[in-house]
Amino acid sequence: MNLPTIPPAANLRDVISREIKTGELLRALIVVGPMVAAYFISREAALLNLGLVAVSLLIPALRLHLAPKVIAWHYLAILVTFGALFLASPIKALFVGLTALAGFVAVAVTRHGEDFRTLGNWVFIPAVYLACEVREGVSPSEALRHAGVIVASSPIALALVCSVQIYDQRRRGRDAATSFGAPAAQWFLPASATAMAVFAAAALVEIFDLAQGQWVMWSAASVVVGDLAASTGKLKQRAIGAFVGVPLGFLAGIALPQSRVGYALAVLAATLTLMSFSRYVVGFGLRCFFIALAASFAGGASGIAEERIVNVLIGGTFGLVAVALTEVAWQRVMRKARPPG
């Protein structure tokens, strides 16, 4: 008896539906697409970076069902943190300290509700990324102009995200969230581990002037997701994504000519991967692929594969060490506090 065969097209559709969050992808295109269109018209590179602000607002808004008022506060937190880190960047020690403080606060806010971790992450990530990105390889005056364009244009991102959220809530008849979950009982340890990891990563970046240092700091904070086992699992996923995605993006870039259009589309695709895939390892691997591809289109892919992979591993290692140290310190404190029996 022959078993019924499933057409390849049906298999492909099933895979796509499992892996891609089409609803979130569409909403991300709505808020990030206009930034790419504006870049084509104006040739202003800062507008592409504005897409990160937009998607950083959109992710918590969709996941936590935020009201526009809360989105506006989230937006202000991103701008304030970005502004503080950018202005501190000429003073290395100050920048390192403030970056570690931002990492601590991003996790410590869970003492008021576990869902605040999502908001904290999406303040820390865009603020640190942009603070490093806008000063990478340019003069202080050009970096200031770039930062000014991002800040001046950022209300557009806020308006687009709020519009999408208001439309969704009206169409689905869903009220905005009024709470952010139960307060986290264990918030100090992960907050401390994040601060330690980010401090070490930022110090390394500033001492050795590492290119694309935001990847080291981002990776250091990203792997602090719980205990040592969970953090190790997160680093493995990031390492797999970097080892697979970056070389493939680099090879694809070699086969394609340098192109402003290709660069913009690759940046757009990399931004969309932040929220459009069900499995983290798939999304991160594709993000690495498109970042390497964008660098190739821009004519700066030399060494990008090695930098991306090494930075992910270094930052993740800092995160694991910080988690292990805080766990050991906490166990010792608990043993000393335990009454002798």
Side-chain angles (χ1 to χ4, degrees):
M1 179 178 178
N2 294 328
L3 295 175
T5 59
I6 301 175
N11 286 334
L12 180 61
R13 284 195 300 269
D14 289 342
V15 170
I16 291 175
S17 64
R18 287 197 305 268
E19 297 291 346
I20 300 178
K21 302 176 182 178
T22 52
E24 293 191 5
L25 175 61
L26 177 60
R27 286 159 180 78
L29 276 171
I30 292 172
V31 301
V32 180
M35 318 300 174
V36 177
Y39 165 75
F40 282 131
I41 296 170
S42 67
R43 296 178 177 267
E44 175 54 66
L47 295 175
L48 287 179
N49 285 328
L50 186 60
L52 179 59
V53 177
V55 81
S56 297
L57 292 172
L58 183 64
I59 291 171
L62 294 180
R63 292 179 183 174
L64 305 180
H65 313 298
L66 301 181
K69 179 174 67 174
V70 180
I71 298 173
W73 282 111
H74 179 202
Y75 161 79
L76 288 175
I78 292 174
L79 289 192
V80 169
T81 308
F82 163 57
L85 295 178
F86 174 75
L87 294 175
S89 60
I91 307 172
K92 293 186 175 184
L94 180 60
F95 176 78
V96 171
L98 285 179
T99 304
L101 177 61
F104 179 86
V105 173
V107 182
V109 290
T110 58
R111 66 180 299 186
H112 302 293
E114 292 182 346
D115 289 344
F116 275 110
R117 178 66 187 264
T118 301
L119 277 171
N121 285 345
W122 290 106
V123 171
F124 178 82
I125 290 171
V128 170
Y129 186 93
L130 293 176
C132 294
E133 180 74 13
V134 298
R135 64 186 175 106
E136 183 83 24
V138 298
S139 65
S141 60
E142 177 61 18
L144 183 61
R145 188 198 68 81
H146 193 142
V149 172
I150 292 175
V151 173
S153 306
S154 60
I156 299 172
L158 175 63
L160 287 169
V161 173
C162 286
S163 298
V164 167
Q165 188 71 345
I166 291 170
Y167 173 79
D168 270 0
Q169 289 175 349
R170 288 180 177 176
R171 184 173 66 88
R172 297 176 181 178
R174 176 184 291 165
D175 294 331
T178 56
S179 68
F180 292 90
Q186 297 291 338
W187 63 269
F188 186 76
L189 284 184
S192 299
T194 302
M196 289 171 55
V198 171
F199 182 88
L204 183 75
V205 168
E206 293 301 317
I207 291 171
F208 294 100
D209 291 321
L210 296 184
Q212 302 297 324
Q214 62 269 28
W215 297 343
V216 184
M217 292 176 263
W218 185 342
S219 294
S222 177
V223 301
V224 183
V225 292
D227 59 16
L228 189 58
S231 297
T232 301
K234 183 70 173 291
L235 178 57
K236 286 180 180 177
Q237 293 185 69
R238 291 178 67 82
I240 292 170
F243 273 110
V244 175
V246 173
L248 289 178
F250 180 68
L251 292 174
I254 292 176
L256 298 170
Q258 295 182 20
S259 165
R260 189 171 71 93
V261 174
Y263 171 75
L265 292 178
V267 171
L268 171 63
T271 305
L272 296 178
T273 62
L274 288 166
M275 63 180 300
S276 302
F277 292 90
S278 299
R279 288 191 294 169
Y280 181 84
V281 67
V282 174
F284 187 74
L286 286 171
R287 184 151 64 253
C288 292
F289 171 86
F290 286 119
I291 288 172
L293 183 60
S296 297
F297 280 133
S302 178
I304 186 69
E306 295 86 352
E307 285 178 3
R308 179 69 177 183
I309 293 171
V310 170
N311 287 351
V312 166
L313 293 178
I314 291 174
T317 301
F318 281 140
L320 290 186
V321 171
V323 171
L325 289 176
T326 53
E327 285 188 359
V328 169
W330 180 250
Q331 289 170 2
R332 289 184 177 179
V333 169
M334 293 303 292
R335 280 199 297 269
K336 289 182 180 180
R338 189 179 298 122

